[in-house]
Amino acid sequence: MDFKDYYVSLGVAPDADQKTIKKAYQKLAKKHHPDVNPGDTVAEAKFKEATEAYQAISDPEKRRKYDELRQDYQQWQSRGGRGDYDYGRWQTNPGGGRSQTHTMSQEDFAEMFGGAGRAGGFNGMDGDEYSDFFSTLFGGGGGQGRGFSGGSPRVRARAGQDLEVEVQVTLDEAYHGTTRVIRTGEKQIEAKIPKGVRTGSKVRIAGQGGPGISGGPSGNLYLNITVSSHARFVRDGDDLRTDLAIDFYRAVLGGEVSIHTFGGEVRLKIPPLSQSGKKFRFRGKGMPNLEHPLQQGDLFAVLSIVLPEGMSEQEITTLRDLANKRGANEELKV
């Protein structure tokens, strides 16, 4: 059986205080945690090595026993280390009994990883996964499946960590609804984004978050939605607004125009003598309501009068004559 130097495993000095030991373990455990390195057996082995070391020297009683053994082992080495070192006198519960001490609570472990999402590592080693060295000194072997709970029951079932992903959609996609292929770790899913989502909407995909703990349900995946701006439409809640540019001939004489919307084409009759800024309302032609998709907001079209391009000299002369008759050429006082 090989001797394990737990101080080397954690990268701390033998006289390190508990705060330093905990900080060193936290750094290693975060780096090598199976959730961060799925399928990486090397990282998993390093995680278990660090966790076993922390289990041994974070507990004052265990640490005293380990320090005594370590000092005796080093003295044996300095004398030449002949034969095999006798671990028999350090053995706890011969025959594979379980350790009866507890050094790290579930809450301590969860705190190290920022919540329950990482707490699965607390039971990352069953009793038969301890090294022979650890089991000889402190018990916990023999396949009892107690992990680091030190003889107490396994951690209760808990939901896995919720995950969040940023997703951007166009206004057109927000109108019709759409899908996105989302990749989290090694998992890839096609997520459905409903009609009517807004910037700031959260779409919940149940059970697609982090894996559950000790048989608990998986966490949820949340899509944080941002709706990009549109070239022709401005959104206000579930309503849409668009500027409708017409020439002054149509504004004066009236006429009919078509407006292309996300739901198809709508026709608008412009009455004669319509002023710039006049607003027209199309009921139910706006965005679908996220909570009630069969309900839709309204579309507002706002007139904007523009000069026609390529006017002839005859047109300009005619307009000047009309302006003279109406006194429109006189000085404007405001």
Side-chain angles (χ1 to χ4, degrees):
M1 179 172 62
D2 294 330
F3 173 82
K4 287 184 175 291
D5 193 324
Y6 289 136
Y7 295 108
V8 173
S9 296
L10 292 179
V12 297
D15 60 352
D17 58 22
Q18 289 299 313
K19 183 178 180 180
T20 302
I21 291 173
K22 183 176 181 178
K23 185 175 180 180
Y25 170 65
Q26 182 180 6
K27 181 178 179 181
L28 290 171
K30 281 184 176 181
K31 179 179 180 180
H32 300 299
H33 196 285
D35 285 357
V36 181
N37 306 277
D40 188 336
T41 56
V42 174
E44 181 180 359
K46 290 181 178 180
F47 171 77
K48 290 180 178 180
E49 178 184 357
T51 307
E52 179 177 301
Y54 182 75
Q55 167 73 358
I57 64 174
S58 63
D59 181 281
E61 182 180 344
K62 287 182 181 179
R63 186 177 184 181
R64 280 194 296 271
K65 181 177 182 180
Y66 173 74
D67 285 346
E68 290 175 4
L69 181 148
R70 182 174 181 273
Q71 183 179 12
D72 189 75
Y73 181 82
Q74 290 176 341
Q75 290 175 353
W76 172 77
Q77 280 190 319
S78 66
R79 295 193 299 268
R82 297 178 182 177
D84 294 327
Y85 181 78
D86 181 14
Y87 290 98
R89 61 195 178 99
W90 304 99
Q91 189 171 2
T92 296
N93 297 333
R98 297 192 299 269
S99 169
Q100 298 301 315
T101 61
H102 175 78
T103 64
M104 183 170 57
S105 69
Q106 172 187 345
E107 289 73 19
D108 288 340
F109 198 98
E111 180 184 357
M112 287 185 175
F113 294 97
R118 299 284 185 182
F122 183 80
N123 264 339
M125 292 171 63
D126 288 337
D128 55 1
E129 292 185 278
Y130 286 111
S131 69
D132 291 341
F133 178 79
F134 183 95
S135 299
T136 297
L137 267 64
F138 308 117
Q144 299 297 331
R146 297 289 183 169
F148 286 163
S149 53
S152 62
R154 292 175 66 90
V155 176
R156 68 183 182 275
R158 298 177 66 179
Q161 184 181 27
D162 291 337
L163 303 177
E164 295 190 8
V165 176
E166 303 296 324
V167 175
Q168 186 173 53
V169 300
T170 65
L171 190 60
D172 194 348
E173 290 175 321
Y175 180 92
H176 292 99
T178 187
T179 59
R180 285 290 189 275
V181 175
I182 306 296
R183 182 182 297 276
T184 57
E186 296 183 341
K187 184 166 56 177
Q188 179 174 295
I189 64 169
E190 185 176 62
K192 183 178 180 180
I193 300 174
K195 299 178 180 180
V197 291
R198 313 174 183 91
T199 294
S201 294
K202 278 184 176 288
V203 178
R204 184 174 72 96
I205 313 296
Q208 296 298 329
I213 302 160
S214 297
S218 296
N220 299 318
L221 173 65
Y222 289 91
L223 310 183
N224 297 328
I225 304 298
T226 299
V227 181
S228 57
S229 58
H230 193 271
R232 292 190 299 115
F233 296 105
V234 176
R235 185 177 186 176
D236 180 13
D238 292 333
D239 294 333
L240 292 175
R241 181 178 63 81
T242 185
D243 291 328
L244 184 60
I246 61 172
D247 58 46
F248 68 86
Y249 294 123
R250 200 178 302 271
V252 172
L253 302 175
E256 191 172 279
V257 297
S258 64
I259 303 174
H260 296 282
T261 72
F262 297 128
E265 186 177 279
V266 296
R267 305 290 295 181
L268 171 63
K269 284 188 176 182
I270 300 175
L273 304 178
S274 291
Q275 296 284 1
S276 183
K278 184 177 179 61
K279 185 184 293 185
F280 297 89
R281 179 179 186 177
F282 297 87
R283 293 186 181 275
K285 297 299 182 181
M287 297 294 293
N289 182 274
L290 179 59
E291 290 75 24
H292 306 284
L294 295 180
Q295 301 177 14
Q296 291 187 222
D298 300 329
L299 169 64
F300 294 90
V302 182
L303 289 189
S304 174
I305 299 175
V306 296
L307 292 176
E309 295 182 0
M311 294 181 66
S312 66
E313 284 296 328
Q314 183 178 354
E315 289 175 307
I316 295 173
T317 299
T318 301
L319 287 173
R320 185 178 293 112
D321 291 341
L322 289 173
N324 289 333
K325 290 179 181 180
R326 293 182 62 87
N329 285 334
E330 296 179 1
E331 182 181 355
L332 181 64
K333 297 181 180 180
V334 295

